[in-house]
Amino acid sequence: MMHGEHGYRDLAHGVSAQLAQLRKSTPEVMKAFGELGRSATKDGVLDGKTKELIALALSVAVRCDPCIAFHTQTLVKLGATRQEIDETLGVATYMGGGPALMYAASAVAAFDEFAAVAKAG
C-alpha cells in the first residue's frame, strides 16, 4: 500500500506530525515509550541492526504500515542491505503466511524508497 506521492516517506512524516500532538498531551507516556524503544534496540548480545530487522519482521506480521516506514528508514540509516531485508521478510512470510507476504511487498517498497533517498542525499 503506497501513501502519497513519496509513499512511505510521506507516511512516516505524517505519523510523526500526529505523534507530536501526543507528545504534547501525554508527555510522560510518550517519553516512556521512547525510552522503551531505545532500550529495546540498543546494542547488546544482538546488535541494533539485528533488532531493527526483528522489528521489521514484526511490523509485517502485525500489518503496520507506519511501523514498516519507521523501521525501514532506520535500517537504511544503519546500513542494512537489500539482501538482509529480503531474508528478514522471508522469515516474516514463513511465520505469517499470505497476509505477511503482501506486507513484505510493502516493506520492500519502503526500503527501496528510503535507500534511494539516502543514495541521492
Side-chain angles (χ1 to χ4, degrees), residues 40-103:
T41 58
K42 73 179 181 180
D43 287 348
V45 174
L46 298 176
D47 65 11
K49 183 170 72 170
T50 300
K51 291 177 179 184
E52 283 294 332
L53 290 166
I54 292 167
L56 178 61
L58 290 168
S59 299
V60 167
V62 300
R63 302 177 190 117
C64 177
D65 277 319
C67 302
I68 288 170
F70 289 120
H71 293 294
T72 55
Q73 182 178 36
T74 299
L75 283 160
V76 166
K77 291 176 185 175
L78 292 174
T81 66
R82 176 60 186 277
Q83 188 63 34
E84 289 173 315
I85 298 301
D86 289 351
E87 290 183 21
T88 296
L89 297 174
V91 174
T93 300
Y94 162 64
M95 296 303 294
L101 181 59
M102 299 305 110
Y103 275 81

